[in-house]
Amino acid sequence: MTPRLRYAPSPTGHLHIGNARTALFNYLFARKRGGRFIIRIEDTDIERNVKTGIENQLDLLEWLGVTWDESIDKDGGYGPYRQLERLKTYRRFAEKLIEEGTAYKCYCTPEELEAVRKAQVARGEDRLHYPRTCIDKPPQEGPYTVRFRVPEAKVYRFEDMVKGDVSFKSEDIGDWVILKRNGIPTYNFACALDDELMAITHVLRGEDHLTNTPRQLMVFDALGAPRPTYGHMTLIVDEHGKKLSKRNESVIQFIDQYRELGYLPEALFNFIALLGWSPAVENEIFTREELIEHFEEDRLSTSPATFDPQKLKYVNNRHVKRLDDEDLFALVAPHLEKAGIGKDKGPEWKKSLVEVFKDRLTHGAHIVELTRAFFAQDCLYDAAAKDILRQDGVDGLLAVFREKLLEDEHPDADVYRAIIKDSG
């Protein structure tokens, strides 16, 4: 069977590190196994959807080099690929489950449900489950939700590609809503039904989705459909072990920010691939093709992945060193222009300047920091530096160093002459 994997973002925000990793690992798995990679848009959370969310996701994935075989722009015969365009399908299957007795209509109002919940809390009940008030009610007029009838005393067990044997007891899960009053499906119902109808064979996602799995397994079993193979990747944490979130300001979260800073897409792809996965070879710098070649799902880590910004800079620097002169200049030129560096100089002067710092450059915008000292009007020295400058012989040593830089045979003499002139 041809492997079919999917990345299913909600357009409630722009592409961030966690979602990019999910897409990337599903892409690597599909490409390594000769399978298909699908992007499905889960846009049923209408109130939270961002206008540019879908475009941002697709644009940045393409920039990273994560290409897809099927999506809203490539129909592979399993569409539509946007959930809001599949509402009739969800309702049809919800009605099928009702007819088979696997689901039922619930006419309880939100106020009644809240009163039940408060009473359960007041009684100190451990499980705040819906008490099946409507499970045997005859059809009524008025709005209703559709609830899944959770089997009693059943264990949902599956073999996770990352976590191994995982199980959940049905008694820990109350009869959950699969279709809301407005006809919009809930996440777990739509997700499982789409996976079945799109013939998804493997699901790689973050471990925060682990508790969703038993509900989705219920849907597969109710439909008599084969279950996909699941793999729940460990969390991405910062250097302090704190889970990355949009409120965590210690790490840049969004892919478009890295693009604006002048990080290379192939380097970011390389770095993200190492967040929770390790190759069998002793190397960390890979092209996309090499990562596809080396990817094995059994090497996904069982420990949290630490996002190290310094390691990202190192990886990006290694990829920067592979650039030819033209591509290197194209990377840094916008940042030189924005900072006003060499604005009265020609392109050859700028290219020579960039070449001086190529080995140290970690990303495009870094060129501004590296060259700032040469173009600052004033140089400030701390106490330790002043003590060194006062030592005997330092003036002579600096004079010799300056002359060496300006010697005609020095490969960067013209650049240094211009720098010294501009900086006074």
Side-chain angles (χ1 to χ4, degrees), residues 134-181:
C134 297
I135 196 167
D136 293 319
K137 278 188 177 180
Q140 299 179 14
E141 294 294 328
Y144 60 87
T145 61
V146 178
R147 290 184 179 272
F148 192 92
R149 185 196 295 257
V150 175
E152 296 181 4
K154 182 171 181 177
V155 175
Y156 288 88
R157 175 172 278 110
F158 62 97
E159 188 68 21
D160 191 279
M161 286 186 284
V162 180
K163 298 185 173 298
D165 183 64
V166 180
S167 62
F168 294 89
K169 296 179 179 179
S170 63
E171 62 212 52
D172 294 326
I173 305 168
D175 288 1
W176 52 285
V177 173
I178 63 174
L179 208 64
K180 293 182 279 189
R181 289 185 165 210

Side-chain angles (χ1 to χ4, degrees), residues 91-316:
R91 178 165 290 281
R92 175 164 56 87
F93 275 89
E95 291 173 351
K96 178 177 183 294
L97 294 179
I98 292 173
E99 291 173 2
E100 295 173 351
T102 312
Y104 59 94
K105 296 178 180 179
C106 175
Y107 300 93
C108 296
T109 65
E111 293 76 18
E112 290 170 336
L113 293 173
E114 178 61 18
V116 169
R117 189 194 68 82
K118 288 182 177 179
Q120 290 175 332
V121 171
R123 292 193 297 268
E125 295 183 12
D126 294 332
R127 300 186 182 97
L128 304 182
H129 291 171
Y130 174 68
R132 292 186 160 179
T133 306
C134 297
I135 196 167
D136 293 319
K137 278 188 177 180
Q140 299 179 14
E141 294 294 328
Y144 60 87
T145 61
V146 178
R147 290 184 179 272
F148 192 92
R149 185 196 295 257
V150 175
E152 296 181 4
K154 182 171 181 177
V155 175
Y156 288 88
R157 175 172 278 110
F158 62 97
E159 188 68 21
D160 191 279
M161 286 186 284
V162 180
K163 298 185 173 298
D165 183 64
V166 180
S167 62
F168 294 89
K169 296 179 179 179
S170 63
E171 62 212 52
D172 294 326
I173 305 168
D175 288 1
W176 52 285
V177 173
I178 63 174
L179 208 64
K180 293 182 279 189
R181 289 185 165 210
N182 58 4
I184 301 292
T186 57
Y187 167 76
N188 284 306
F189 181 56
C191 178
L193 188 54
D194 287 345
D195 283 347
E196 157 59 12
L197 297 177
M198 294 183 180
I200 300 301
T201 61
H202 298 76
V203 176
L204 275 174
R205 56 189 181 186
E207 69 177 12
D208 51 329
H209 283 283
L210 187 61
T211 54
N212 289 322
T213 310
R215 291 175 174 81
Q216 293 173 20
L217 294 181
M218 291 177 191
V219 176
F220 284 106
D221 291 355
L223 296 174
R227 301 173 173 182
T229 300
Y230 289 94
H232 290 88
M233 299 174 289
T234 56
L235 298 175
I236 303 175
V237 299
D238 64 16
E239 57 185 351
H240 304 294
K242 184 178 179 182
K243 177 186 174 182
L244 287 192
S245 69
K246 295 177 183 179
R247 294 183 294 275
N248 186 328
E249 298 180 355
S250 64
V251 172
I252 297 175
Q253 298 278 331
F254 294 96
I255 302 301
D256 49 8
Q257 292 176 285
Y258 287 104
R259 181 167 64 176
E260 291 169 6
L261 287 170
Y263 281 83
L264 295 171
E266 57 268 32
L268 200 55
F269 188 109
N270 184 168
F271 174 76
I272 294 174
L274 300 176
L275 291 175
W277 174 82
S278 60
V281 296
E282 293 185 4
N283 185 24
E284 290 187 316
I285 307 302
F286 299 97
T287 64
R288 181 178 60 170
E289 291 72 22
E290 290 169 340
L291 284 165
I292 293 172
E293 177 187 352
H294 289 292
F295 182 78
E296 297 291 345
E297 64 274 15
D298 60 2
R299 296 192 64 83
L300 288 167
S301 175
T302 58
S303 302
T306 301
F307 189 103
D308 182 352
Q310 295 307 314
K311 183 173 180 179
L312 171 56
K313 290 181 179 180
Y314 164 76
V315 171
N316 202 71

Side-chain angles (χ1 to χ4, degrees), residues 386-400:
K386 290 178 180 178
D387 288 341
I388 293 175
L389 292 172
R390 293 192 189 100
Q391 294 177 9
D392 293 339
V394 170
D395 288 344
L397 178 63
L398 291 176
V400 172

